[in-house]
Amino acid sequence: MRIAISGAGVAGTALAHWLHRTGHTPTVIEQAPAFRSGGYMIDFWGVGYTVAQRMGIEAQILDKGYQIESVRSVGTDGRIRAALNAGVFKHLLGDDFTSLPRGDLAATIHTTIADHVEMIYGDSITGIDDHDDGVRLTFAHAGPREFDLVIGADGLHSNVRRLVFGPDTDFEHYLGCKVAAAVVEGYRPRDELVYVSYAVPGRQVSRVALRDDRTLVLFVFRDDSPEVADPRAQLHHRFADTGWECPQLLAAVAGVEDLYFDVVSQVRMERWSRGRVLLIGDAAGCISLLGGEGTGLAITEAYVLAGELQRAAGDHRRAFAGYEKRLRPFIEAKQASATQFLGFFATRTRFGLWFRNLAIRAMNLRLLTGLLADSVRDDFDLPDYAI
């Protein structure tokens, strides 16, 4: 089938990989003018890691990844208040674990399809006409085209979801936090293979050293309003007087053109498909950026969708139903657990910060690491579609 995919992020590139591998003709449409790498740091493990192994890209991911050794919470003076040895996660998850920028993972997947899949950049879908024999798409710049299916893999603020299912306000549930991330050049100090964070009630800033003398900076803060206008002003208002390295970090970020800024939200929908259109990844069931596993889930969803299409011999109704039946309980459980992470990234009170640091120190004890098992292990039976 001819299958249009809106979005060239992790979900879209992974789906294009599996669709091409199973004999379909995917076309990826991306509104950005070129493929984008980099982005905020993610931890990559679980079923998504297993799918990446089946894609044959584990070695490349490990090469681009970072084996973080410690997670530190520091005070205003920079002294360590609590530290977690990252070996705790190795103990729970084994060796199938790494950390890397989200866009670098997408770029790794992209290398598997670059010479085989049509990629359209600098354009977006403006109309979706779903009829008996296919779907007619109109674009902001290109002429109309016919496809058999359309997949929205275009993230939290999905354009396809808006065109087919309705406005964002019907599905996005704001969780009361905002995030900003940027990669800065030549920042000092550097702490190699250490995730360093500083927090006051309702706000947290973190940094992690990257290769080539770069540093990834992440800001998280609570805010009652989901308004995202003027992000640099919002950051300055929230962090200018926060202490620690915040003035230097704000100054470094001020010179960065590519600043990521967004709300922390979840997407909840009664159905993920309508006719010949299906949503995957954050477009359908975003667990929130702070949930910790959205990227792995997106890769898993791409694999399952391609597998269900193959099992259904091209019957998209049967494939879409099987896809949703298999994945919805898993995604909803992840969404429920993800809300618990808000307290870690944007603790409300000083007592909460004290207790969080106590918990970080306690997690180094092997007898207590079992308490983390349910939150990091995936309760999902990944099918083997032999594709």
Side-chain angles (χ1 to χ4, degrees), residues 35-360:
F35 190 85
R36 300 173 68 180
S37 60
Y40 56 88
M41 188 74 79
I42 62 167
D43 295 321
F44 188 49
W45 79 92
V47 290
Y49 195 104
T50 301
V51 174
Q53 290 174 320
R54 295 181 185 182
M55 296 172 78
I57 59 174
E58 180 185 18
Q60 296 96 307
I61 290 172
L62 291 176
D63 185 58
K64 292 183 178 181
Y66 297 81
Q67 298 305 311
I68 301 297
E69 296 174 354
S70 177
V71 178
R72 293 178 188 166
S73 173
V74 301
T76 304
D77 57 3
R79 293 182 180 179
I80 300 172
R81 299 292 178 85
L84 173 63
N85 187 325
V88 167
F89 298 103
K90 291 281 188 180
H91 175 67
L92 289 172
L93 302 169
D95 292 330
D96 295 345
F97 180 93
T98 192
S99 301
L100 75 165
R102 180 187 177 103
D104 288 0
L105 177 58
T108 301
I109 300 171
H110 178 258
T111 60
T112 71
I113 62 172
D115 297 331
H116 311 289
V117 171
E118 180 186 16
M119 307 286 293
I120 300 174
Y121 291 104
D123 210 343
S124 59
I125 299 170
T126 57
I128 300 176
D129 178 17
D130 189 342
H131 52 82
D132 289 343
D133 299 325
V135 187
R136 185 177 187 268
L137 296 186
T138 53
F139 299 90
H141 303 294
R145 290 179 60 173
E146 286 281 335
F147 293 91
D148 297 299
L149 301 176
V150 175
I151 310 298
D154 41 0
L156 173 63
H157 310 294
S158 169
N159 179 48
V160 170
R161 187 183 66 227
R162 194 178 307 115
L163 290 170
V164 176
F165 295 89
D168 292 346
T169 52
D170 290 351
F171 309 108
E172 288 188 24
H173 296 263
Y174 179 55
L175 299 183
C177 277
K178 295 175 182 175
V179 297
V183 174
V184 300
E185 304 281 347
Y187 184 82
R188 294 294 183 273
R190 285 174 64 87
D191 295 271
E192 302 293 342
L193 300 180
V194 178
Y195 193 90
V196 184
S197 65
Y198 167 75
V200 297
R203 289 165 286 176
Q204 177 171 298
V205 59
S206 307
R207 60 170 169 80
V208 60
L210 303 179
R211 298 181 185 95
D212 302 320
D213 201 20
R214 298 171 300 145
T215 297
L216 175 67
V217 185
L218 178 70
F219 299 89
V220 182
F221 61 97
R222 290 190 181 270
D223 195 335
D224 292 335
S225 170
E227 177 62 50
V228 296
D230 203 351
R232 295 180 194 274
Q234 290 194 48
L235 285 180
H236 188 270
H237 173 68
R238 293 289 180 169
F239 289 93
D241 62 351
T242 302
W244 189 52
E245 299 172 12
C246 288
Q248 301 98 291
L249 290 168
L250 287 172
V253 169
V256 173
E257 183 177 337
D258 190 11
L259 173 69
Y260 173 88
F261 187 91
D262 208 348
V263 295
V264 177
S265 297
Q266 291 187 338
V267 172
R268 303 169 195 161
M269 304 182 69
E270 292 184 1
R271 292 193 62 186
W272 295 339
S273 66
R274 179 171 291 172
R276 292 176 174 268
V277 180
L278 175 79
L279 303 175
I280 73 167
D282 285 351
C286 177
I287 67 170
S288 87
L289 181 146
L290 302 181
E293 204 178 354
T295 304
L297 296 178
I299 290 177
T300 302
E301 292 166 33
Y303 172 73
V304 171
L305 176 56
E308 291 296 320
L309 281 169
Q310 178 168 276
R311 283 187 175 179
D315 182 345
H316 71 275
R317 297 177 184 84
R318 183 176 143 205
F320 288 179
Y323 167 85
E324 188 157 344
K325 181 179 179 181
R326 189 178 294 277
L327 281 165
R328 179 173 285 277
F330 182 48
I331 299 301
E332 290 180 345
K334 288 293 183 182
Q335 286 184 321
S337 64
T339 58
Q340 301 172 10
F341 287 98
L342 289 177
F344 179 86
F345 287 100
T347 310
R348 291 183 181 276
T349 66
R350 292 192 179 280
F351 174 77
L353 290 171
W354 173 85
F355 184 79
R356 188 193 71 165
N357 287 337
L358 178 65
I360 289 173

